[in-house]
PDB file of all heavy atoms in Angstrom:
ATOM      1  N   GLN A   1       9.905  -4.927   3.719  1.00 79.00           N
ATOM      2  CA  GLN A   1       8.785  -4.091   4.118  1.00 79.00           C
ATOM      3  C   GLN A   1       7.653  -4.134   3.098  1.00 79.00           C
ATOM      4  O   GLN A   1       6.471  -4.283   3.480  1.00 79.00           O
ATOM      5  CB  GLN A   1       9.253  -2.639   4.278  1.00 79.00           C
ATOM      6  CG  GLN A   1       8.143  -1.676   4.671  1.00 79.00           C
ATOM      7  CD  GLN A   1       8.664  -0.278   4.943  1.00 79.00           C
ATOM      8  OE1 GLN A   1       8.750   0.121   6.093  1.00 79.00           O
ATOM      9  NE2 GLN A   1       8.989   0.434   3.899  1.00 79.00           N
ATOM     10  N   GLN A   2       7.966  -4.025   1.817  1.00 80.00           N
ATOM     11  CA  GLN A   2       6.905  -3.903   0.810  1.00 80.00           C
ATOM     12  C   GLN A   2       6.017  -5.130   0.745  1.00 80.00           C
ATOM     13  O   GLN A   2       4.792  -5.025   0.625  1.00 80.00           O
ATOM     14  CB  GLN A   2       7.526  -3.625  -0.565  1.00 80.00           C
ATOM     15  CG  GLN A   2       6.486  -3.245  -1.644  1.00 80.00           C
ATOM     16  CD  GLN A   2       5.606  -2.103  -1.211  1.00 80.00           C
ATOM     17  OE1 GLN A   2       6.063  -1.050  -0.770  1.00 80.00           O
ATOM     18  NE2 GLN A   2       4.290  -2.291  -1.320  1.00 80.00           N
ATOM     19  N   GLN A   3       6.624  -6.320   0.838  1.00 83.00           N
ATOM     20  CA  GLN A   3       5.791  -7.536   0.754  1.00 83.00           C
ATOM     21  C   GLN A   3       4.892  -7.667   1.976  1.00 83.00           C
ATOM     22  O   GLN A   3       3.754  -8.160   1.857  1.00 83.00           O
ATOM     23  CB  GLN A   3       6.677  -8.765   0.576  1.00 83.00           C
ATOM     24  CG  GLN A   3       7.625  -9.064   1.748  1.00 83.00           C
ATOM     25  CD  GLN A   3       8.651 -10.125   1.369  1.00 83.00           C
ATOM     26  OE1 GLN A   3       9.429  -9.968   0.426  1.00 83.00           O
ATOM     27  NE2 GLN A   3       8.663 -11.186   2.134  1.00 83.00           N
ATOM     28  N   LEU A   4       5.352  -7.197   3.135  1.00 83.00           N
ATOM     29  CA  LEU A   4       4.488  -7.236   4.307  1.00 83.00           C
ATOM     30  C   LEU A   4       3.365  -6.215   4.165  1.00 83.00           C
ATOM     31  O   LEU A   4       2.216  -6.474   4.537  1.00 83.00           O
ATOM     32  CB  LEU A   4       5.304  -6.961   5.563  1.00 83.00           C
ATOM     33  CG  LEU A   4       4.521  -6.947   6.876  1.00 83.00           C
ATOM     34  CD1 LEU A   4       3.847  -8.285   7.120  1.00 83.00           C
ATOM     35  CD2 LEU A   4       5.420  -6.593   8.050  1.00 83.00           C
ATOM     36  N   VAL A   5       3.680  -5.023   3.642  1.00 83.00           N
ATOM     37  CA  VAL A   5       2.650  -4.008   3.444  1.00 83.00           C
ATOM     38  C   VAL A   5       1.571  -4.497   2.503  1.00 83.00           C
ATOM     39  O   VAL A   5       0.377  -4.316   2.730  1.00 83.00           O
ATOM     40  CB  VAL A   5       3.289  -2.703   2.899  1.00 83.00           C
ATOM     41  CG1 VAL A   5       2.207  -1.721   2.415  1.00 83.00           C
ATOM     42  CG2 VAL A   5       4.150  -2.046   3.948  1.00 83.00           C
ATOM     43  N   THR A   6       1.968  -5.170   1.419  1.00 85.00           N
ATOM     44  CA  THR A   6       1.018  -5.733   0.481  1.00 85.00           C
ATOM     45  C   THR A   6       0.062  -6.719   1.178  1.00 85.00           C
ATOM     46  O   THR A   6      -1.150  -6.706   0.952  1.00 85.00           O
ATOM     47  CB  THR A   6       1.740  -6.437  -0.674  1.00 85.00           C
ATOM     48  OG1 THR A   6       2.590  -5.486  -1.321  1.00 85.00           O
ATOM     49  CG2 THR A   6       0.747  -6.993  -1.688  1.00 85.00           C
ATOM     50  N   PHE A   7       0.639  -7.568   2.046  1.00 88.00           N
ATOM     51  CA  PHE A   7      -0.187  -8.513   2.804  1.00 88.00           C
ATOM     52  C   PHE A   7      -1.150  -7.798   3.729  1.00 88.00           C
ATOM     53  O   PHE A   7      -2.354  -8.141   3.797  1.00 88.00           O
ATOM     54  CB  PHE A   7       0.712  -9.464   3.590  1.00 88.00           C
ATOM     55  CG  PHE A   7      -0.009 -10.271   4.624  1.00 88.00           C
ATOM     56  CD1 PHE A   7      -0.794 -11.363   4.249  1.00 88.00           C
ATOM     57  CD2 PHE A   7       0.064  -9.933   5.972  1.00 88.00           C
ATOM     58  CE1 PHE A   7      -1.488 -12.102   5.213  1.00 88.00           C
ATOM     59  CE2 PHE A   7      -0.625 -10.669   6.919  1.00 88.00           C
ATOM     60  CZ  PHE A   7      -1.399 -11.753   6.542  1.00 88.00           C
ATOM     61  N   LEU A   8      -0.663  -6.820   4.458  1.00 85.00           N
ATOM     62  CA  LEU A   8      -1.495  -6.109   5.428  1.00 85.00           C
ATOM     63  C   LEU A   8      -2.649  -5.360   4.747  1.00 85.00           C
ATOM     64  O   LEU A   8      -3.765  -5.349   5.256  1.00 85.00           O
ATOM     65  CB  LEU A   8      -0.641  -5.117   6.212  1.00 85.00           C
ATOM     66  CG  LEU A   8       0.421  -5.735   7.131  1.00 85.00           C
ATOM     67  CD1 LEU A   8       1.306  -4.624   7.725  1.00 85.00           C
ATOM     68  CD2 LEU A   8      -0.217  -6.547   8.234  1.00 85.00           C
ATOM     69  N   GLU A   9      -2.383  -4.769   3.602  1.00 85.00           N
ATOM     70  CA  GLU A   9      -3.429  -4.042   2.873  1.00 85.00           C
ATOM     71  C   GLU A   9      -4.525  -4.978   2.355  1.00 85.00           C
ATOM     72  O   GLU A   9      -5.625  -4.520   2.071  1.00 85.00           O
ATOM     73  CB  GLU A   9      -2.799  -3.268   1.731  1.00 85.00           C
ATOM     74  CG  GLU A   9      -1.937  -2.097   2.183  1.00 85.00           C
ATOM     75  CD  GLU A   9      -1.241  -1.376   1.031  1.00 85.00           C
ATOM     76  OE1 GLU A   9      -1.087  -2.035  -0.048  1.00 85.00           O
ATOM     77  OE2 GLU A   9      -0.856  -0.215   1.181  1.00 85.00           O
ATOM     78  N   SER A  10      -4.211  -6.261   2.243  1.00 87.00           N
ATOM     79  CA  SER A  10      -5.195  -7.225   1.746  1.00 87.00           C
ATOM     80  C   SER A  10      -6.110  -7.745   2.849  1.00 87.00           C
ATOM     81  O   SER A  10      -7.105  -8.436   2.543  1.00 87.00           O
ATOM     82  CB  SER A  10      -4.491  -8.398   1.068  1.00 87.00           C
ATOM     83  OG  SER A  10      -3.789  -9.193   2.052  1.00 87.00           O
ATOM     84  N   LEU A  11      -5.836  -7.424   4.091  1.00 85.00           N
ATOM     85  CA  LEU A  11      -6.642  -7.940   5.219  1.00 85.00           C
ATOM     86  C   LEU A  11      -7.955  -7.163   5.355  1.00 85.00           C
ATOM     87  O   LEU A  11      -7.985  -5.927   5.254  1.00 85.00           O
ATOM     88  CB  LEU A  11      -5.849  -7.871   6.523  1.00 85.00           C
ATOM     89  CG  LEU A  11      -4.562  -8.725   6.619  1.00 85.00           C
ATOM     90  CD1 LEU A  11      -3.864  -8.427   7.935  1.00 85.00           C
ATOM     91  CD2 LEU A  11      -4.897 -10.197   6.499  1.00 85.00           C
ATOM     92  N   ASP A  12      -9.023  -7.880   5.632  1.00 85.00           N
ATOM     93  CA  ASP A  12     -10.320  -7.242   5.888  1.00 85.00           C
ATOM     94  C   ASP A  12     -10.249  -6.481   7.207  1.00 85.00           C
ATOM     95  O   ASP A  12      -9.738  -7.009   8.205  1.00 85.00           O
ATOM     96  CB  ASP A  12     -11.420  -8.304   5.950  1.00 85.00           C
ATOM     97  CG  ASP A  12     -11.676  -8.940   4.591  1.00 85.00           C
ATOM     98  OD1 ASP A  12     -11.405  -8.291   3.571  1.00 85.00           O
ATOM     99  OD2 ASP A  12     -12.160 -10.104   4.560  1.00 85.00           O
ATOM    100  N   GLY A  13     -10.797  -5.296   7.209  1.00 85.00           N
ATOM    101  CA  GLY A  13     -10.808  -4.464   8.424  1.00 85.00           C
ATOM    102  C   GLY A  13      -9.661  -3.480   8.520  1.00 85.00           C
ATOM    103  O   GLY A  13      -9.648  -2.639   9.412  1.00 85.00           O
ATOM    104  N   VAL A  14      -8.699  -3.592   7.626  1.00 85.00           N
ATOM    105  CA  VAL A  14      -7.560  -2.679   7.640  1.00 85.00           C
ATOM    106  C   VAL A  14      -7.897  -1.467   6.747  1.00 85.00           C
ATOM    107  O   VAL A  14      -8.175  -1.599   5.565  1.00 85.00           O
ATOM    108  CB  VAL A  14      -6.263  -3.352   7.126  1.00 85.00           C
ATOM    109  CG1 VAL A  14      -5.173  -2.321   6.972  1.00 85.00           C
ATOM    110  CG2 VAL A  14      -5.861  -4.454   8.089  1.00 85.00           C
ATOM    111  N   ARG A  15      -7.889  -0.268   7.394  1.00 84.00           N
ATOM    112  CA  ARG A  15      -8.210   0.958   6.658  1.00 84.00           C
ATOM    113  C   ARG A  15      -6.988   1.565   5.984  1.00 84.00           C
ATOM    114  O   ARG A  15      -7.077   2.046   4.863  1.00 84.00           O
ATOM    115  CB  ARG A  15      -8.791   1.974   7.635  1.00 84.00           C
ATOM    116  CG  ARG A  15      -9.177   3.289   6.978  1.00 84.00           C
ATOM    117  CD  ARG A  15      -9.762   4.297   7.979  1.00 84.00           C
ATOM    118  NE  ARG A  15      -8.724   4.989   8.716  1.00 84.00           N
ATOM    119  CZ  ARG A  15      -8.524   4.876  10.035  1.00 84.00           C
ATOM    120  NH1 ARG A  15      -9.302   4.102  10.764  1.00 84.00           N
ATOM    121  NH2 ARG A  15      -7.585   5.550  10.641  1.00 84.00           N
ATOM    122  N   GLU A  16      -5.849   1.496   6.651  1.00 82.00           N
ATOM    123  CA  GLU A  16      -4.664   2.201   6.127  1.00 82.00           C
ATOM    124  C   GLU A  16      -3.408   1.532   6.684  1.00 82.00           C
ATOM    125  O   GLU A  16      -3.401   1.064   7.828  1.00 82.00           O
ATOM    126  CB  GLU A  16      -4.712   3.667   6.536  1.00 82.00           C
ATOM    127  CG  GLU A  16      -3.592   4.514   5.988  1.00 82.00           C
ATOM    128  CD  GLU A  16      -3.711   5.973   6.442  1.00 82.00           C
ATOM    129  OE1 GLU A  16      -4.702   6.307   7.111  1.00 82.00           O
ATOM    130  OE2 GLU A  16      -2.812   6.769   6.112  1.00 82.00           O
ATOM    131  N   VAL A  17      -2.387   1.513   5.865  1.00 82.00           N
ATOM    132  CA  VAL A  17      -1.071   0.994   6.291  1.00 82.00           C
ATOM    133  C   VAL A  17      -0.027   2.060   5.983  1.00 82.00           C
ATOM    134  O   VAL A  17       0.179   2.440   4.835  1.00 82.00           O
ATOM    135  CB  VAL A  17      -0.696  -0.316   5.550  1.00 82.00           C
ATOM    136  CG1 VAL A  17       0.676  -0.782   5.999  1.00 82.00           C
ATOM    137  CG2 VAL A  17      -1.744  -1.388   5.829  1.00 82.00           C
ATOM    138  N   ASN A  18       0.615   2.583   7.048  1.00 80.00           N
ATOM    139  CA  ASN A  18       1.644   3.607   6.885  1.00 80.00           C
ATOM    140  C   ASN A  18       3.010   2.957   6.949  1.00 80.00           C
ATOM    141  O   ASN A  18       3.310   2.218   7.891  1.00 80.00           O
ATOM    142  CB  ASN A  18       1.527   4.689   7.958  1.00 80.00           C
ATOM    143  CG  ASN A  18       0.222   5.441   7.869  1.00 80.00           C
ATOM    144  OD1 ASN A  18      -0.281   5.705   6.777  1.00 80.00           O
ATOM    145  ND2 ASN A  18      -0.364   5.780   9.005  1.00 80.00           N
ATOM    146  N   GLN A  19       3.857   3.248   5.979  1.00 76.00           N
ATOM    147  CA  GLN A  19       5.170   2.659   5.933  1.00 76.00           C
ATOM    148  C   GLN A  19       6.242   3.729   5.744  1.00 76.00           C
ATOM    149  O   GLN A  19       5.952   4.824   5.266  1.00 76.00           O
ATOM    150  CB  GLN A  19       5.282   1.657   4.780  1.00 76.00           C
ATOM    151  CG  GLN A  19       5.003   2.278   3.415  1.00 76.00           C
ATOM    152  CD  GLN A  19       5.212   1.296   2.269  1.00 76.00           C
ATOM    153  OE1 GLN A  19       6.204   0.594   2.254  1.00 76.00           O
ATOM    154  NE2 GLN A  19       4.246   1.250   1.340  1.00 76.00           N
ATOM    155  N   SER A  20       7.477   3.369   6.094  1.00 68.00           N
ATOM    156  CA  SER A  20       8.631   4.260   5.904  1.00 68.00           C
ATOM    157  C   SER A  20       9.409   3.812   4.685  1.00 68.00           C
ATOM    158  O   SER A  20      10.486   3.237   4.778  1.00 68.00           O
ATOM    159  CB  SER A  20       9.533   4.253   7.161  1.00 68.00           C
ATOM    160  OG  SER A  20       8.801   4.584   8.302  1.00 68.00           O
ATOM    161  N   ARG A  21       8.808   4.040   3.518  1.00 62.00           N
ATOM    162  CA  ARG A  21       9.417   3.532   2.274  1.00 62.00           C
ATOM    163  C   ARG A  21      10.783   4.143   2.012  1.00 62.00           C
ATOM    164  O   ARG A  21      11.715   3.454   1.609  1.00 62.00           O
ATOM    165  CB  ARG A  21       8.473   3.805   1.115  1.00 62.00           C
ATOM    166  CG  ARG A  21       8.989   3.319  -0.226  1.00 62.00           C
ATOM    167  CD  ARG A  21       7.926   3.468  -1.309  1.00 62.00           C
ATOM    168  NE  ARG A  21       6.754   2.661  -1.034  1.00 62.00           N
ATOM    169  CZ  ARG A  21       5.652   2.710  -1.789  1.00 62.00           C
ATOM    170  NH1 ARG A  21       5.573   3.515  -2.821  1.00 62.00           N
ATOM    171  NH2 ARG A  21       4.627   1.933  -1.486  1.00 62.00           N
ATOM    172  N   MET A  22      10.920   5.429   2.229  1.00 60.00           N
ATOM    173  CA  MET A  22      12.188   6.107   1.930  1.00 60.00           C
ATOM    174  C   MET A  22      13.308   5.570   2.831  1.00 60.00           C
ATOM    175  O   MET A  22      14.411   5.278   2.340  1.00 60.00           O
ATOM    176  CB  MET A  22      12.067   7.616   2.110  1.00 60.00           C
ATOM    177  CG  MET A  22      13.324   8.371   1.774  1.00 60.00           C
ATOM    178  SD  MET A  22      13.121  10.167   1.936  1.00 60.00           S
ATOM    179  CE  MET A  22      11.957  10.474   0.596  1.00 60.00           C
ATOM    180  N   VAL A  23      13.026   5.448   4.121  1.00 60.00           N
ATOM    181  CA  VAL A  23      14.034   4.906   5.045  1.00 60.00           C
ATOM    182  C   VAL A  23      14.415   3.503   4.665  1.00 60.00           C
ATOM    183  O   VAL A  23      15.603   3.146   4.655  1.00 60.00           O
ATOM    184  CB  VAL A  23      13.492   4.964   6.493  1.00 60.00           C
ATOM    185  CG1 VAL A  23      14.465   4.303   7.444  1.00 60.00           C
ATOM    186  CG2 VAL A  23      13.223   6.377   6.934  1.00 60.00           C
ATOM    187  N   ALA A  24      13.434   2.690   4.345  1.00 59.00           N
ATOM    188  CA  ALA A  24      13.709   1.303   3.947  1.00 59.00           C
ATOM    189  C   ALA A  24      14.602   1.243   2.713  1.00 59.00           C
ATOM    190  O   ALA A  24      15.562   0.466   2.650  1.00 59.00           O
ATOM    191  CB  ALA A  24      12.417   0.569   3.717  1.00 59.00           C
ATOM    192  N   ASN A  25      14.267   2.060   1.723  1.00 63.00           N
ATOM    193  CA  ASN A  25      15.065   2.047   0.475  1.00 63.00           C
ATOM    194  C   ASN A  25      16.480   2.545   0.729  1.00 63.00           C
ATOM    195  O   ASN A  25      17.453   1.970   0.167  1.00 63.00           O
ATOM    196  CB  ASN A  25      14.380   2.940  -0.579  1.00 63.00           C
ATOM    197  CG  ASN A  25      13.096   2.329  -1.066  1.00 63.00           C
ATOM    198  OD1 ASN A  25      12.862   1.138  -0.961  1.00 63.00           O
ATOM    199  ND2 ASN A  25      12.211   3.168  -1.658  1.00 63.00           N
ATOM    200  N   ILE A  26      16.621   3.584   1.530  1.00 68.00           N
ATOM    201  CA  ILE A  26      17.966   4.105   1.807  1.00 68.00           C
ATOM    202  C   ILE A  26      18.815   3.066   2.530  1.00 68.00           C
ATOM    203  O   ILE A  26      19.989   2.814   2.170  1.00 68.00           O
ATOM    204  CB  ILE A  26      17.865   5.400   2.654  1.00 68.00           C
ATOM    205  CG1 ILE A  26      17.294   6.531   1.812  1.00 68.00           C
ATOM    206  CG2 ILE A  26      19.244   5.792   3.199  1.00 68.00           C
ATOM    207  CD1 ILE A  26      17.032   7.784   2.598  1.00 68.00           C
ATOM    208  N   LEU A  27      18.276   2.429   3.541  1.00 64.00           N
ATOM    209  CA  LEU A  27      19.019   1.432   4.326  1.00 64.00           C
ATOM    210  C   LEU A  27      19.399   0.248   3.440  1.00 64.00           C
ATOM    211  O   LEU A  27      20.524  -0.257   3.479  1.00 64.00           O
ATOM    212  CB  LEU A  27      18.203   0.971   5.534  1.00 64.00           C
ATOM    213  CG  LEU A  27      17.973   2.025   6.626  1.00 64.00           C
ATOM    214  CD1 LEU A  27      17.068   1.463   7.705  1.00 64.00           C
ATOM    215  CD2 LEU A  27      19.320   2.441   7.230  1.00 64.00           C
ATOM    216  N   THR A  28      18.438  -0.240   2.645  1.00 66.00           N
ATOM    217  CA  THR A  28      18.695  -1.385   1.782  1.00 66.00           C
ATOM    218  C   THR A  28      19.749  -1.083   0.740  1.00 66.00           C
ATOM    219  O   THR A  28      20.700  -1.850   0.551  1.00 66.00           O
ATOM    220  CB  THR A  28      17.410  -1.828   1.090  1.00 66.00           C
ATOM    221  OG1 THR A  28      16.428  -2.158   2.072  1.00 66.00           O
ATOM    222  CG2 THR A  28      17.661  -3.058   0.230  1.00 66.00           C
ATOM    223  N   ASP A  29      19.650   0.082   0.075  1.00 72.00           N
ATOM    224  CA  ASP A  29      20.609   0.446  -0.961  1.00 72.00           C
ATOM    225  C   ASP A  29      21.986   0.695  -0.402  1.00 72.00           C
ATOM    226  O   ASP A  29      22.996   0.308  -0.990  1.00 72.00           O
ATOM    227  CB  ASP A  29      20.121   1.713  -1.696  1.00 72.00           C
ATOM    228  CG  ASP A  29      18.872   1.450  -2.530  1.00 72.00           C
ATOM    229  OD1 ASP A  29      18.562   0.253  -2.767  1.00 72.00           O
ATOM    230  OD2 ASP A  29      18.181   2.413  -2.907  1.00 72.00           O
ATOM    231  N   PHE A  30      22.048   1.351   0.764  1.00 71.00           N
ATOM    232  CA  PHE A  30      23.370   1.643   1.361  1.00 71.00           C
ATOM    233  C   PHE A  30      24.026   0.369   1.826  1.00 71.00           C
ATOM    234  O   PHE A  30      25.255   0.215   1.692  1.00 71.00           O
ATOM    235  CB  PHE A  30      23.200   2.606   2.533  1.00 71.00           C
ATOM    236  CG  PHE A  30      24.473   3.287   2.922  1.00 71.00           C
ATOM    237  CD1 PHE A  30      25.033   4.252   2.084  1.00 71.00           C
ATOM    238  CD2 PHE A  30      25.111   2.995   4.096  1.00 71.00           C
ATOM    239  CE1 PHE A  30      26.219   4.898   2.415  1.00 71.00           C
ATOM    240  CE2 PHE A  30      26.306   3.623   4.451  1.00 71.00           C
ATOM    241  CZ  PHE A  30      26.841   4.568   3.608  1.00 71.00           C
ATOM    242  N   ASN A  31      23.259  -0.563   2.371  1.00 68.00           N
ATOM    243  CA  ASN A  31      23.797  -1.860   2.763  1.00 68.00           C
ATOM    244  C   ASN A  31      24.435  -2.541   1.559  1.00 68.00           C
ATOM    245  O   ASN A  31      25.541  -3.084   1.616  1.00 68.00           O
ATOM    246  CB  ASN A  31      22.679  -2.733   3.334  1.00 68.00           C
ATOM    247  CG  ASN A  31      22.760  -2.866   4.826  1.00 68.00           C
ATOM    248  OD1 ASN A  31      23.818  -2.602   5.408  1.00 68.00           O
ATOM    249  ND2 ASN A  31      21.683  -3.233   5.442  1.00 68.00           N
ATOM    250  N   ARG A  32      23.699  -2.555   0.433  1.00 74.00           N
ATOM    251  CA  ARG A  32      24.180  -3.204  -0.768  1.00 74.00           C
ATOM    252  C   ARG A  32      25.422  -2.518  -1.323  1.00 74.00           C
ATOM    253  O   ARG A  32      26.384  -3.167  -1.748  1.00 74.00           O
ATOM    254  CB  ARG A  32      23.066  -3.218  -1.832  1.00 74.00           C
ATOM    255  CG  ARG A  32      23.374  -4.067  -3.057  1.00 74.00           C
ATOM    256  CD  ARG A  32      22.219  -4.050  -4.026  1.00 74.00           C
ATOM    257  NE  ARG A  32      21.012  -4.636  -3.471  1.00 74.00           N
ATOM    258  CZ  ARG A  32      19.898  -3.977  -3.230  1.00 74.00           C
ATOM    259  NH1 ARG A  32      19.821  -2.694  -3.517  1.00 74.00           N
ATOM    260  NH2 ARG A  32      18.846  -4.586  -2.717  1.00 74.00           N
ATOM    261  N   LEU A  33      25.454  -1.198  -1.313  1.00 77.00           N
ATOM    262  CA  LEU A  33      26.597  -0.435  -1.811  1.00 77.00           C
ATOM    263  C   LEU A  33      27.855  -0.732  -0.999  1.00 77.00           C
ATOM    264  O   LEU A  33      28.931  -0.979  -1.565  1.00 77.00           O
ATOM    265  CB  LEU A  33      26.294   1.068  -1.768  1.00 77.00           C
ATOM    266  CG  LEU A  33      27.427   2.002  -2.178  1.00 77.00           C
ATOM    267  CD1 LEU A  33      27.820   1.766  -3.615  1.00 77.00           C
ATOM    268  CD2 LEU A  33      27.038   3.443  -1.946  1.00 77.00           C
ATOM    269  N   VAL A  34      27.737  -0.708   0.327  1.00 72.00           N
ATOM    270  CA  VAL A  34      28.897  -1.000   1.162  1.00 72.00           C
ATOM    271  C   VAL A  34      29.420  -2.410   0.922  1.00 72.00           C
ATOM    272  O   VAL A  34      30.638  -2.633   0.839  1.00 72.00           O
ATOM    273  CB  VAL A  34      28.511  -0.811   2.652  1.00 72.00           C
ATOM    274  CG1 VAL A  34      29.611  -1.337   3.567  1.00 72.00           C
ATOM    275  CG2 VAL A  34      28.242   0.650   2.958  1.00 72.00           C
ATOM    276  N   ALA A  35      28.539  -3.369   0.764  1.00 73.00           N
ATOM    277  CA  ALA A  35      28.945  -4.749   0.526  1.00 73.00           C
ATOM    278  C   ALA A  35      29.692  -4.878  -0.807  1.00 73.00           C
ATOM    279  O   ALA A  35      30.746  -5.512  -0.894  1.00 73.00           O
ATOM    280  CB  ALA A  35      27.743  -5.676   0.523  1.00 73.00           C
TER     281      ALA A  35
END
């Protein structure tokens, strides 16, 4: 998610990019923990 957000924020004409950072971090960390 973060690398895509960085790309989107760099585009001309884009005013704002809303992301679900907390959800992404929770899912990623929990996936890693279970593994």
Side-chain angles (χ1 to χ4, degrees):
Q1 179 176 254
Q2 189 54 50
Q3 64 192 58
L4 179 60
V5 169
T6 302
F7 167 76
L8 294 173
E9 290 176 338
S10 68
L11 295 176
D12 292 334
V14 172
R15 180 180 81 245
E16 184 180 356
V17 178
N18 296 324
Q19 59 176 313
S20 303
R21 180 174 297 175
M22 182 177 294
V23 174
N25 291 340
I26 290 174
L27 292 175
T28 302
D29 292 344
F30 198 70
N31 256 341
R32 189 179 296 115
L33 176 63
V34 170

